[in-house]
């Protein structure tokens, strides 16, 4: 959602709770913002060093892998057969356990930087939900961990000349999907077990976006916040009722937002480009009262930001990374990394992991002083955001998936 044009969530927040400190259950992990709570994550690797396993991924896609226990799930598209796929691999060995054809349908129009499998799945450890575009309708399908289909629903029309990327997120007994598109947009919640619609919120402005919502707790209430369709807004995740809205600051959004120090921090997109900080304690239209700062040309379009304590970090598409103080928006540093970045960064143990399109990962200290700890090269293009689980780093390259770190089994992985 690095989604490359990706276009690559306490007790009440089931999505966050489900991680149990070791799993990576959906887009941007257990907190929905790229942060891992684990220790012992690898810092250095190469094409041949510190690689537990490497397996081919048939087809193409920019979605991230998700991990629960000993199972790794990833989606892909076999373009020549028009098949959208869900694969399940063994986390310890990389062996393929099963595969499912989720959808066979005409390939949609898309932006050249998008893919036909850009939406990252979501899982609660019992079932897994995947989303694709079925010609002109959003498709959401639920499977169990053995690959048996439980239900499939098409919650609404979806029209976008740049394609589809709407990762599902989980909250309590709901699976929630962003339906912003070039028509009557919607935010919809379905029952996890049955696919029955529980609530639907109309979205303004009839403009496509590619960002899943983020679940936060702010101002004494649970909120579902996200940017898209010419606005940034907060909703009640139990009912879909809109709590507040900020107009603009641009037309389209690709990157997911983050939340730290009681500030929603986001980057935007097209045609304007920049970063913004918002206080999420208002009601109604708070455009003139709750925007802390709006800095044009400060952020990237595709890669999502990441937060660590007092600071928020971004990498622009053209490869320049920066650190901002969350409350003030004051920039702390601004440094060149790779030539071009699509993947969204992840963090662990006070370190940031930035992957460029050429498959190089910069490991940087998550502080207000710029310091590179390592630069690692896999030698394979990468447009998907990585995942962290069980002390390992999972990177989906253009053709392969890598498990980086300790090797838990001796037997050879199978394709």
């Amino acid at each position: 959602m690095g989604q490359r044009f990706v276009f690559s969530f306490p007790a009440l927040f089931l999505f966050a709770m489900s991680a149990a400190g070791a799993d990576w259950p959906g887009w941007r992990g257990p907190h929905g913002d790229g942060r891992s709570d684990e220790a012992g994550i690898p810092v250095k690797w190469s094409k041949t060093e510190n690689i537990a396993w490497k397996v081919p991924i048939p087809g193409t896609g920019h979605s991230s892998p998700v991990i629960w226990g000993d199972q790794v799930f990833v989606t892909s598209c076999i373009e020549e057969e028009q098949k959208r796929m869900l694969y399940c691999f063994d986390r310890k060995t990389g062996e393929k356990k099963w595969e499912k054809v989720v959808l066979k349908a005409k390939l949609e129009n898309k932006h050249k930087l998008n893919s036909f499998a850009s939406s990252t799945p979501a899982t609660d450890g019992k079932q897994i939900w995947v989303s694709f575009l079925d010609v002109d309708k959003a498709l959401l399908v639920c499977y169990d961990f053995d690959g048996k289909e439980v239900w499939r629903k098409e919650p609404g029309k979806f029209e976008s000349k740049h394609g589809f990327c709407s990762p599902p997120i989980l909250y309590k007994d709901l699976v929630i999907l962003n339906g912003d598109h070039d028509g009557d947009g919607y935010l919809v919640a379905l029952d996890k077990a049955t696919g029955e619609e529980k609530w639907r919120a109309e979205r303004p402005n009839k403009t496509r976006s590619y960002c899943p919502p983020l679940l936060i707790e702010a101002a004494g209430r649970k909120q579902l916040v996200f940017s898209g369709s010419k606005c940034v807004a907060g909703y009640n995740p139990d009912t879909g009722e809109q709590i507040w809205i900020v107009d603009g600051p641009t037309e389209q959004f690709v990157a997911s937002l983050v939340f730290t120090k009681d500030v929603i921090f986001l980057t935007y997109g097209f045609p304007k480009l920049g970063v913004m900080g918002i206080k999420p304690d208002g009601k109604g239209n708070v455009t003139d009262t709750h925007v802390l700062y709006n800095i044009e040309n400060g952020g990237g379009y595709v890669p999502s930001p990441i937060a660590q304590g007092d600071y928020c970090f971004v990498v622009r598409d053209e490869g320049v990374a920066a650190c901002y103080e969350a409350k003030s928006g004051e920039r702390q540093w601004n440094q060149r990394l790779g030539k071009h970045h699509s993947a969204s960064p992840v963090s662990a143990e006070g370190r940031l992991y930035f992957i460029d399109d050429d498959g190089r990962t910069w490991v940087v200290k998550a502080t207000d002083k710029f310091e590179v700890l390592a630069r690692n090269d896999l030698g394979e293009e990468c447009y998907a955001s990585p995942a962290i689980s069980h002390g390992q780093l999972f990177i989906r390259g253009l053709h392969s998936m890598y498990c980086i770190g300790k090797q838990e089994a001796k037997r050879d992985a199978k394709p």
Side-chain angles (χ1 to χ4, degrees):
M1 144 180 195
Q3 295 185 221
R4 177 187 186 169
F5 210 66
V6 193
F7 237 117
S8 8
F9 268 122
L12 290 177
F13 283 19
L14 178 60
F15 199 75
M17 180 186 69
S18 63
D23 298 309
W24 193 268
W27 167 238
R28 305 208 79 194
H31 306 290
D33 60 6
R35 294 179 298 122
S36 171
D37 301 319
E38 290 196 51
I41 308 306
V43 176
K44 296 182 179 181
W45 62 87
S46 70
K47 300 176 187 178
T48 57
E49 298 174 315
N50 212 12
I51 304 295
W53 50 257
K54 170 188 175 182
V55 295
I57 302 292
T60 58
H62 298 158
S63 61
S64 300
V66 299
I67 300 97
W68 192 285
D70 289 338
Q71 291 175 284
V72 180
F73 302 94
V74 68
T75 62
S76 188
C77 177
I78 302 176
E79 297 183 25
E80 60 272 21
E81 299 178 20
Q82 300 184 329
K83 290 180 179 179
R84 282 63 154 197
M85 306 295 296
L86 172 63
Y87 296 102
C88 177
F89 295 89
D90 186 284
R91 180 184 61 81
K92 293 182 178 181
T93 67
E95 179 182 0
K96 188 196 296 182
K97 302 179 75 171
W98 51 260
E99 64 180 60
K100 294 294 174 180
V101 179
V102 182
L103 170 70
K104 184 174 182 179
K106 178 183 176 182
L107 301 180
E108 64 266 20
N109 294 326
K110 68 173 184 64
H111 192 280
K112 65 181 180 180
L113 299 184
N114 200 358
S115 79
F116 299 109
S118 289
S119 293
T120 297
T123 181
D124 63 357
K126 297 178 181 179
Q127 297 175 318
I128 184 162
W129 292 263
V130 294
S131 58
F132 290 99
L133 185 61
D134 185 0
V135 184
D136 62 350
K137 296 181 179 66
L139 174 68
L140 189 60
V141 186
C142 174
Y143 292 90
D144 67 17
F145 265 36
D146 293 321
K148 180 182 177 181
E149 184 176 314
V150 179
W151 54 258
R152 72 172 50 217
K153 299 290 181 179
E154 292 185 335
K157 288 189 65 65
F158 196 98
E159 298 178 3
S160 169
K161 65 181 181 180
H162 286 163
F164 183 80
C165 178
S166 187
I169 67 165
L170 307 181
Y171 169 74
K172 293 184 178 179
D173 61 349
L174 302 176
V175 53
I176 301 171
L177 193 70
N178 170 19
D180 278 348
H181 70 108
D182 296 335
D184 294 326
Y186 49 89
L187 181 64
V188 64
L190 307 182
D191 185 277
K192 283 174 30 178
T194 66
E196 176 188 359
E197 184 172 315
K198 291 299 186 180
W199 57 253
R200 177 179 294 257
E202 294 183 359
R203 293 280 290 159
N205 303 321
K206 298 185 178 183
T207 302
R208 59 193 175 276
S209 74
Y210 313 91
C211 317
L214 175 69
L215 283 163
I216 67 171
E217 187 152 3
R221 60 197 175 197
K222 292 176 283 295
Q223 299 187 39
L224 192 66
V225 296
F226 72 118
S227 53
S229 202
K230 302 181 182 179
C231 65
V232 186
Y235 293 82
N236 182 332
D238 291 294
T239 65
E241 178 186 6
Q242 183 179 288
I243 302 170
W244 55 265
I245 188 169
V246 170
D247 297 328
T250 194
E251 177 183 318
Q252 294 180 39
F253 301 82
V254 175
S256 301
L257 44 74
V258 294
F259 179 64
T260 189
K261 298 300 178 181
D262 296 321
V263 176
I264 293 172
F265 180 90
L266 64 128
T267 63
Y268 60 90
F270 178 85
K272 294 181 179 179
L273 190 71
V275 301
M276 176 179 276
I278 299 172
K279 290 176 60 179
D281 59 353
K283 292 184 179 180
N285 193 310
V286 296
T287 307
D288 297 329
T289 57
H290 284 66
V291 175
L292 298 173
Y293 48 85
N294 181 10
I295 306 167
E296 293 193 8
N297 301 315
Y301 184 19
V302 175
S304 301
I306 194 162
Q308 185 79 28
D310 294 330
Y311 302 103
C312 296
F313 304 86
V314 302
V315 62
R316 298 200 291 272
D317 302 54
E318 66 273 20
V320 177
C323 170
Y324 293 88
E325 185 182 49
K327 286 185 175 293
S328 68
E330 182 179 348
R331 193 170 72 185
Q332 307 298 303
W333 52 258
N334 192 61
Q335 298 286 337
R336 161 70 62 181
L337 299 180
K339 292 186 296 185
H340 195 276
H341 287 243
S342 298
S344 298
V346 296
S347 71
E349 301 179 277
R351 301 186 296 268
L352 307 170
Y353 293 75
F354 294 96
I355 302 181
D356 72 6
D357 292 1
D358 292 322
R360 291 186 295 262
T361 302
W362 275 259
V363 185
V364 178
K365 272 194 174 181
T367 69
D368 59 342
K369 302 294 188 295
F370 180 73
E371 181 180 348
V372 176
L373 302 174
R375 196 186 83 165
N376 308 298
D377 192 355
L378 283 177
E380 181 176 336
E381 293 176 51
C382 179
Y383 307 111
S385 301
I388 295 172
S389 183
H390 293 77
Q392 298 168 318
L393 188 67
F394 296 81
I395 297 178
R396 188 235 184 104
L398 185 63
H399 304 292
S400 312
M401 183 161 56
Y402 299 80
C403 176
I404 299 168
K406 60 188 178 185
Q407 188 170 20
E408 295 190 27
K410 300 285 187 184
R411 58 194 175 96
D412 295 335
K414 297 178 182 179

